[in-house]
PDB file of all heavy atoms in Angstrom:
ATOM      1  N   VAL A 108       8.124   1.767  -0.630  1.00 98.00           N
ATOM      2  CA  VAL A 108       6.851   2.360  -0.201  1.00 98.00           C
ATOM      3  C   VAL A 108       6.767   3.810  -0.656  1.00 98.00           C
ATOM      4  O   VAL A 108       5.738   4.258  -1.197  1.00 98.00           O
ATOM      5  CB  VAL A 108       6.683   2.243   1.324  1.00 98.00           C
ATOM      6  CG1 VAL A 108       5.500   3.085   1.820  1.00 98.00           C
ATOM      7  CG2 VAL A 108       6.507   0.781   1.726  1.00 98.00           C
ATOM      8  N   ARG A 109       7.829   4.560  -0.473  1.00 98.00           N
ATOM      9  CA  ARG A 109       7.807   5.970  -0.884  1.00 98.00           C
ATOM     10  C   ARG A 109       7.615   6.115  -2.396  1.00 98.00           C
ATOM     11  O   ARG A 109       6.883   7.002  -2.853  1.00 98.00           O
ATOM     12  CB  ARG A 109       9.094   6.665  -0.427  1.00 98.00           C
ATOM     13  CG  ARG A 109       9.159   6.946   1.073  1.00 98.00           C
ATOM     14  CD  ARG A 109      10.338   7.822   1.440  1.00 98.00           C
ATOM     15  NE  ARG A 109      11.580   7.070   1.414  1.00 98.00           N
ATOM     16  CZ  ARG A 109      12.115   6.456   2.485  1.00 98.00           C
ATOM     17  NH1 ARG A 109      11.495   6.515   3.665  1.00 98.00           N
ATOM     18  NH2 ARG A 109      13.249   5.800   2.383  1.00 98.00           N
ATOM     19  N   GLU A 110       8.254   5.254  -3.162  1.00 98.00           N
ATOM     20  CA  GLU A 110       8.120   5.356  -4.613  1.00 98.00           C
ATOM     21  C   GLU A 110       6.740   4.900  -5.077  1.00 98.00           C
ATOM     22  O   GLU A 110       6.183   5.444  -6.039  1.00 98.00           O
ATOM     23  CB  GLU A 110       9.214   4.537  -5.308  1.00 98.00           C
ATOM     24  CG  GLU A 110       9.349   4.805  -6.787  1.00 98.00           C
ATOM     25  CD  GLU A 110       9.747   6.238  -7.135  1.00 98.00           C
ATOM     26  OE1 GLU A 110      10.047   7.057  -6.219  1.00 98.00           O
ATOM     27  OE2 GLU A 110       9.756   6.567  -8.338  1.00 98.00           O
ATOM     28  N   MET A 111       6.159   3.920  -4.388  1.00 99.00           N
ATOM     29  CA  MET A 111       4.780   3.544  -4.687  1.00 99.00           C
ATOM     30  C   MET A 111       3.847   4.725  -4.440  1.00 99.00           C
ATOM     31  O   MET A 111       2.956   5.012  -5.246  1.00 99.00           O
ATOM     32  CB  MET A 111       4.366   2.332  -3.849  1.00 99.00           C
ATOM     33  CG  MET A 111       5.077   1.049  -4.247  1.00 99.00           C
ATOM     34  SD  MET A 111       4.654  -0.346  -3.171  1.00 99.00           S
ATOM     35  CE  MET A 111       2.971  -0.689  -3.700  1.00 99.00           C
ATOM     36  N   ASN A 112       4.052   5.417  -3.338  1.00 98.00           N
ATOM     37  CA  ASN A 112       3.260   6.623  -3.053  1.00 98.00           C
ATOM     38  C   ASN A 112       3.402   7.642  -4.176  1.00 98.00           C
ATOM     39  O   ASN A 112       2.417   8.249  -4.612  1.00 98.00           O
ATOM     40  CB  ASN A 112       3.720   7.277  -1.753  1.00 98.00           C
ATOM     41  CG  ASN A 112       3.420   6.511  -0.490  1.00 98.00           C
ATOM     42  OD1 ASN A 112       3.984   6.813   0.559  1.00 98.00           O
ATOM     43  ND2 ASN A 112       2.553   5.518  -0.546  1.00 98.00           N
ATOM     44  N   ARG A 113       4.623   7.846  -4.642  1.00 98.00           N
ATOM     45  CA  ARG A 113       4.877   8.868  -5.658  1.00 98.00           C
ATOM     46  C   ARG A 113       4.231   8.509  -6.997  1.00 98.00           C
ATOM     47  O   ARG A 113       3.744   9.385  -7.720  1.00 98.00           O
ATOM     48  CB  ARG A 113       6.387   9.074  -5.839  1.00 98.00           C
ATOM     49  CG  ARG A 113       6.784  10.371  -6.542  1.00 98.00           C
ATOM     50  CD  ARG A 113       8.224  10.331  -7.011  1.00 98.00           C
ATOM     51  NE  ARG A 113       8.381   9.311  -8.039  1.00 98.00           N
ATOM     52  CZ  ARG A 113       8.076   9.487  -9.321  1.00 98.00           C
ATOM     53  NH1 ARG A 113       7.636  10.654  -9.748  1.00 98.00           N
ATOM     54  NH2 ARG A 113       8.231   8.507 -10.187  1.00 98.00           N
ATOM     55  N   THR A 114       4.215   7.228  -7.336  1.00 98.00           N
ATOM     56  CA  THR A 114       3.612   6.826  -8.614  1.00 98.00           C
ATOM     57  C   THR A 114       2.087   6.762  -8.532  1.00 98.00           C
ATOM     58  O   THR A 114       1.412   6.850  -9.559  1.00 98.00           O
ATOM     59  CB  THR A 114       4.116   5.447  -9.065  1.00 98.00           C
ATOM     60  OG1 THR A 114       3.724   4.464  -8.101  1.00 98.00           O
ATOM     61  CG2 THR A 114       5.620   5.425  -9.238  1.00 98.00           C
ATOM     62  N   GLY A 115       1.543   6.556  -7.338  1.00 98.00           N
ATOM     63  CA  GLY A 115       0.104   6.361  -7.199  1.00 98.00           C
ATOM     64  C   GLY A 115      -0.298   4.910  -7.108  1.00 98.00           C
ATOM     65  O   GLY A 115      -1.473   4.576  -7.247  1.00 98.00           O
ATOM     66  N   MET A 116       0.673   4.030  -6.852  1.00 98.00           N
ATOM     67  CA  MET A 116       0.378   2.612  -6.682  1.00 98.00           C
ATOM     68  C   MET A 116       0.085   2.341  -5.205  1.00 98.00           C
ATOM     69  O   MET A 116       0.889   2.670  -4.329  1.00 98.00           O
ATOM     70  CB  MET A 116       1.550   1.750  -7.156  1.00 98.00           C
ATOM     71  CG  MET A 116       1.234   0.258  -7.208  1.00 98.00           C
ATOM     72  SD  MET A 116       2.652  -0.766  -7.710  1.00 98.00           S
ATOM     73  CE  MET A 116       2.856  -0.298  -9.422  1.00 98.00           C
ATOM     74  N   LEU A 117      -1.069   1.755  -4.934  1.00 99.00           N
ATOM     75  CA  LEU A 117      -1.449   1.462  -3.557  1.00 99.00           C
ATOM     76  C   LEU A 117      -0.496   0.447  -2.923  1.00 99.00           C
ATOM     77  O   LEU A 117      -0.128  -0.557  -3.544  1.00 99.00           O
ATOM     78  CB  LEU A 117      -2.872   0.911  -3.506  1.00 99.00           C
ATOM     79  CG  LEU A 117      -3.993   1.915  -3.774  1.00 99.00           C
ATOM     80  CD1 LEU A 117      -5.275   1.174  -4.154  1.00 99.00           C
ATOM     81  CD2 LEU A 117      -4.239   2.791  -2.547  1.00 99.00           C
ATOM     82  N   VAL A 118      -0.122   0.707  -1.683  1.00 99.00           N
ATOM     83  CA  VAL A 118       0.686  -0.222  -0.902  1.00 99.00           C
ATOM     84  C   VAL A 118      -0.264  -1.257  -0.288  1.00 99.00           C
ATOM     85  O   VAL A 118      -1.133  -0.911   0.513  1.00 99.00           O
ATOM     86  CB  VAL A 118       1.462   0.520   0.198  1.00 99.00           C
ATOM     87  CG1 VAL A 118       2.211  -0.453   1.097  1.00 99.00           C
ATOM     88  CG2 VAL A 118       2.420   1.542  -0.416  1.00 99.00           C
ATOM     89  N   ASP A 119      -0.092  -2.518  -0.690  1.00 99.00           N
ATOM     90  CA  ASP A 119      -0.961  -3.594  -0.206  1.00 99.00           C
ATOM     91  C   ASP A 119      -0.218  -4.370   0.877  1.00 99.00           C
ATOM     92  O   ASP A 119       0.872  -4.911   0.635  1.00 99.00           O
ATOM     93  CB  ASP A 119      -1.348  -4.513  -1.372  1.00 99.00           C
ATOM     94  CG  ASP A 119      -2.211  -5.692  -0.933  1.00 99.00           C
ATOM     95  OD1 ASP A 119      -2.765  -5.654   0.183  1.00 99.00           O
ATOM     96  OD2 ASP A 119      -2.318  -6.654  -1.717  1.00 99.00           O
ATOM     97  N   LEU A 120      -0.817  -4.453   2.060  1.00 99.00           N
ATOM     98  CA  LEU A 120      -0.166  -5.074   3.213  1.00 99.00           C
ATOM     99  C   LEU A 120      -0.705  -6.456   3.528  1.00 99.00           C
ATOM    100  O   LEU A 120      -0.382  -7.021   4.581  1.00 99.00           O
ATOM    101  CB  LEU A 120      -0.287  -4.151   4.430  1.00 99.00           C
ATOM    102  CG  LEU A 120       0.380  -2.784   4.252  1.00 99.00           C
ATOM    103  CD1 LEU A 120       0.220  -1.943   5.505  1.00 99.00           C
ATOM    104  CD2 LEU A 120       1.855  -2.937   3.897  1.00 99.00           C
ATOM    105  N   SER A 121      -1.511  -7.055   2.653  1.00 98.00           N
ATOM    106  CA  SER A 121      -1.819  -8.473   2.819  1.00 98.00           C
ATOM    107  C   SER A 121      -0.524  -9.270   2.659  1.00 98.00           C
ATOM    108  O   SER A 121       0.378  -8.865   1.927  1.00 98.00           O
ATOM    109  CB  SER A 121      -2.847  -8.928   1.778  1.00 98.00           C
ATOM    110  OG  SER A 121      -4.127  -8.445   2.098  1.00 98.00           O
ATOM    111  N   HIS A 122      -0.445 -10.382   3.354  1.00 98.00           N
ATOM    112  CA  HIS A 122       0.698 -11.307   3.301  1.00 98.00           C
ATOM    113  C   HIS A 122       1.910 -10.844   4.092  1.00 98.00           C
ATOM    114  O   HIS A 122       2.817 -11.645   4.314  1.00 98.00           O
ATOM    115  CB  HIS A 122       1.139 -11.600   1.856  1.00 98.00           C
ATOM    116  CG  HIS A 122       0.318 -12.619   1.159  1.00 98.00           C
ATOM    117  ND1 HIS A 122       0.384 -13.971   1.460  1.00 98.00           N
ATOM    118  CD2 HIS A 122      -0.597 -12.492   0.179  1.00 98.00           C
ATOM    119  CE1 HIS A 122      -0.451 -14.635   0.680  1.00 98.00           C
ATOM    120  NE2 HIS A 122      -1.076 -13.759  -0.101  1.00 98.00           N
ATOM    121  N   VAL A 123       1.987  -9.587   4.506  1.00 98.00           N
ATOM    122  CA  VAL A 123       3.221  -9.140   5.160  1.00 98.00           C
ATOM    123  C   VAL A 123       3.139  -9.353   6.669  1.00 98.00           C
ATOM    124  O   VAL A 123       2.063  -9.457   7.260  1.00 98.00           O
ATOM    125  CB  VAL A 123       3.543  -7.663   4.841  1.00 98.00           C
ATOM    126  CG1 VAL A 123       3.542  -7.428   3.338  1.00 98.00           C
ATOM    127  CG2 VAL A 123       2.601  -6.693   5.544  1.00 98.00           C
ATOM    128  N   ALA A 124       4.311  -9.408   7.291  1.00 98.00           N
ATOM    129  CA  ALA A 124       4.385  -9.551   8.742  1.00 98.00           C
ATOM    130  C   ALA A 124       3.829  -8.306   9.426  1.00 98.00           C
ATOM    131  O   ALA A 124       3.890  -7.201   8.878  1.00 98.00           O
ATOM    132  CB  ALA A 124       5.835  -9.764   9.154  1.00 98.00           C
ATOM    133  N   PRO A 125       3.295  -8.443  10.634  1.00 98.00           N
ATOM    134  CA  PRO A 125       2.819  -7.265  11.355  1.00 98.00           C
ATOM    135  C   PRO A 125       3.887  -6.175  11.496  1.00 98.00           C
ATOM    136  O   PRO A 125       3.567  -4.984  11.452  1.00 98.00           O
ATOM    137  CB  PRO A 125       2.406  -7.828  12.717  1.00 98.00           C
ATOM    138  CG  PRO A 125       1.997  -9.237  12.419  1.00 98.00           C
ATOM    139  CD  PRO A 125       2.956  -9.688  11.356  1.00 98.00           C
ATOM    140  N   THR A 126       5.148  -6.560  11.645  1.00 98.00           N
ATOM    141  CA  THR A 126       6.215  -5.560  11.720  1.00 98.00           C
ATOM    142  C   THR A 126       6.316  -4.786  10.408  1.00 98.00           C
ATOM    143  O   THR A 126       6.570  -3.569  10.411  1.00 98.00           O
ATOM    144  CB  THR A 126       7.556  -6.236  12.026  1.00 98.00           C
ATOM    145  OG1 THR A 126       7.744  -7.340  11.119  1.00 98.00           O
ATOM    146  CG2 THR A 126       7.611  -6.736  13.460  1.00 98.00           C
ATOM    147  N   THR A 127       6.118  -5.482   9.286  1.00 99.00           N
ATOM    148  CA  THR A 127       6.139  -4.818   7.984  1.00 99.00           C
ATOM    149  C   THR A 127       4.941  -3.895   7.843  1.00 99.00           C
ATOM    150  O   THR A 127       5.042  -2.791   7.299  1.00 99.00           O
ATOM    151  CB  THR A 127       6.162  -5.863   6.859  1.00 99.00           C
ATOM    152  OG1 THR A 127       7.266  -6.751   7.066  1.00 99.00           O
ATOM    153  CG2 THR A 127       6.290  -5.215   5.491  1.00 99.00           C
ATOM    154  N   MET A 128       3.770  -4.353   8.314  1.00 99.00           N
ATOM    155  CA  MET A 128       2.583  -3.499   8.291  1.00 99.00           C
ATOM    156  C   MET A 128       2.865  -2.188   9.006  1.00 99.00           C
ATOM    157  O   MET A 128       2.569  -1.091   8.498  1.00 99.00           O
ATOM    158  CB  MET A 128       1.405  -4.199   8.986  1.00 99.00           C
ATOM    159  CG  MET A 128       0.932  -5.482   8.369  1.00 99.00           C
ATOM    160  SD  MET A 128      -0.382  -6.241   9.415  1.00 99.00           S
ATOM    161  CE  MET A 128      -0.486  -7.886   8.690  1.00 99.00           C
ATOM    162  N   ARG A 129       3.438  -2.296  10.202  1.00 98.00           N
ATOM    163  CA  ARG A 129       3.663  -1.103  11.025  1.00 98.00           C
ATOM    164  C   ARG A 129       4.714  -0.199  10.395  1.00 98.00           C
ATOM    165  O   ARG A 129       4.567   1.036  10.387  1.00 98.00           O
ATOM    166  CB  ARG A 129       4.054  -1.519  12.442  1.00 98.00           C
ATOM    167  CG  ARG A 129       2.938  -2.299  13.153  1.00 98.00           C
ATOM    168  CD  ARG A 129       3.349  -2.830  14.507  1.00 98.00           C
ATOM    169  NE  ARG A 129       2.319  -3.733  15.034  1.00 98.00           N
ATOM    170  CZ  ARG A 129       2.510  -5.004  15.362  1.00 98.00           C
ATOM    171  NH1 ARG A 129       3.728  -5.549  15.247  1.00 98.00           N
ATOM    172  NH2 ARG A 129       1.508  -5.747  15.806  1.00 98.00           N
ATOM    173  N   ASP A 130       5.782  -0.800   9.862  1.00 98.00           N
ATOM    174  CA  ASP A 130       6.808   0.011   9.197  1.00 98.00           C
ATOM    175  C   ASP A 130       6.219   0.754   7.993  1.00 98.00           C
ATOM    176  O   ASP A 130       6.519   1.940   7.768  1.00 98.00           O
ATOM    177  CB  ASP A 130       7.960  -0.877   8.719  1.00 98.00           C
ATOM    178  CG  ASP A 130       8.955  -1.194   9.820  1.00 98.00           C
ATOM    179  OD1 ASP A 130       8.796  -0.692  10.948  1.00 98.00           O
ATOM    180  OD2 ASP A 130       9.908  -1.951   9.547  1.00 98.00           O
ATOM    181  N   ALA A 131       5.409   0.054   7.208  1.00 99.00           N
ATOM    182  CA  ALA A 131       4.810   0.692   6.027  1.00 99.00           C
ATOM    183  C   ALA A 131       3.894   1.841   6.441  1.00 99.00           C
ATOM    184  O   ALA A 131       3.903   2.914   5.824  1.00 99.00           O
ATOM    185  CB  ALA A 131       4.049  -0.331   5.207  1.00 99.00           C
ATOM    186  N   LEU A 132       3.113   1.636   7.497  1.00 99.00           N
ATOM    187  CA  LEU A 132       2.223   2.698   7.973  1.00 99.00           C
ATOM    188  C   LEU A 132       3.018   3.888   8.509  1.00 99.00           C
ATOM    189  O   LEU A 132       2.591   5.040   8.385  1.00 99.00           O
ATOM    190  CB  LEU A 132       1.282   2.151   9.047  1.00 99.00           C
ATOM    191  CG  LEU A 132       0.127   1.296   8.509  1.00 99.00           C
ATOM    192  CD1 LEU A 132      -0.524   0.507   9.638  1.00 99.00           C
ATOM    193  CD2 LEU A 132      -0.913   2.161   7.804  1.00 99.00           C
ATOM    194  N   ASP A 133       4.192   3.621   9.081  1.00 98.00           N
ATOM    195  CA  ASP A 133       5.034   4.709   9.567  1.00 98.00           C
ATOM    196  C   ASP A 133       5.613   5.532   8.418  1.00 98.00           C
ATOM    197  O   ASP A 133       5.909   6.724   8.594  1.00 98.00           O
ATOM    198  CB  ASP A 133       6.195   4.154  10.402  1.00 98.00           C
ATOM    199  CG  ASP A 133       5.754   3.620  11.757  1.00 98.00           C
ATOM    200  OD1 ASP A 133       4.637   3.960  12.201  1.00 98.00           O
ATOM    201  OD2 ASP A 133       6.532   2.854  12.366  1.00 98.00           O
ATOM    202  N   THR A 134       5.775   4.923   7.254  1.00 98.00           N
ATOM    203  CA  THR A 134       6.471   5.569   6.133  1.00 98.00           C
ATOM    204  C   THR A 134       5.530   6.163   5.103  1.00 98.00           C
ATOM    205  O   THR A 134       5.806   7.213   4.512  1.00 98.00           O
ATOM    206  CB  THR A 134       7.402   4.547   5.442  1.00 98.00           C
ATOM    207  OG1 THR A 134       8.411   4.155   6.380  1.00 98.00           O
ATOM    208  CG2 THR A 134       8.067   5.125   4.196  1.00 98.00           C
ATOM    209  N   THR A 135       4.417   5.520   4.865  1.00 99.00           N
ATOM    210  CA  THR A 135       3.566   5.902   3.742  1.00 99.00           C
ATOM    211  C   THR A 135       2.992   7.309   3.885  1.00 99.00           C
ATOM    212  O   THR A 135       2.641   7.745   4.977  1.00 99.00           O
ATOM    213  CB  THR A 135       2.424   4.880   3.548  1.00 99.00           C
ATOM    214  OG1 THR A 135       1.695   5.190   2.358  1.00 99.00           O
ATOM    215  CG2 THR A 135       1.460   4.884   4.740  1.00 99.00           C
ATOM    216  N   ALA A 136       2.883   7.979   2.742  1.00 98.00           N
ATOM    217  CA  ALA A 136       2.219   9.276   2.672  1.00 98.00           C
ATOM    218  C   ALA A 136       0.858   9.169   2.002  1.00 98.00           C
ATOM    219  O   ALA A 136       0.232  10.188   1.711  1.00 98.00           O
ATOM    220  CB  ALA A 136       3.097  10.263   1.899  1.00 98.00           C
ATOM    221  N   ALA A 137       0.412   7.942   1.772  1.00 98.00           N
ATOM    222  CA  ALA A 137      -0.874   7.700   1.112  1.00 98.00           C
ATOM    223  C   ALA A 137      -1.581   6.556   1.825  1.00 98.00           C
ATOM    224  O   ALA A 137      -0.951   5.778   2.547  1.00 98.00           O
ATOM    225  CB  ALA A 137      -0.653   7.344  -0.363  1.00 98.00           C
ATOM    226  N   PRO A 138      -2.878   6.427   1.637  1.00 99.00           N
ATOM    227  CA  PRO A 138      -3.588   5.304   2.253  1.00 99.00           C
ATOM    228  C   PRO A 138      -3.068   3.956   1.743  1.00 99.00           C
ATOM    229  O   PRO A 138      -2.648   3.829   0.583  1.00 99.00           O
ATOM    230  CB  PRO A 138      -5.042   5.519   1.812  1.00 99.00           C
ATOM    231  CG  PRO A 138      -5.130   6.957   1.462  1.00 99.00           C
ATOM    232  CD  PRO A 138      -3.787   7.327   0.912  1.00 99.00           C
ATOM    233  N   VAL A 139      -3.102   2.964   2.605  1.00 99.00           N
ATOM    234  CA  VAL A 139      -2.733   1.591   2.254  1.00 99.00           C
ATOM    235  C   VAL A 139      -4.007   0.762   2.094  1.00 99.00           C
ATOM    236  O   VAL A 139      -5.107   1.196   2.458  1.00 99.00           O
ATOM    237  CB  VAL A 139      -1.834   0.953   3.328  1.00 99.00           C
ATOM    238  CG1 VAL A 139      -0.582   1.789   3.555  1.00 99.00           C
ATOM    239  CG2 VAL A 139      -2.601   0.747   4.643  1.00 99.00           C
TER     240      VAL A 139
END
């Protein structure tokens, strides 16, 4: 997630578990 933020690639949370959604939102420095 952090490296996606750094490159400018959007983090897409379709298909992931709600726990993964929440973890990604806790970590990301960019919109998902």
Side-chain angles (χ1 to χ4, degrees):
V108 169
R109 286 189 284 267
E110 192 63 6
M111 291 176 72
N112 291 165
R113 197 195 65 82
T114 62
M116 189 182 291
L117 288 161
V118 175
D119 178 16
L120 299 180
S121 286
H122 279 287
V123 307
T126 50
T127 305
M128 298 175 193
R129 297 175 189 121
D130 278 357
L132 284 165
D133 288 343
T134 296
T135 186
V139 303

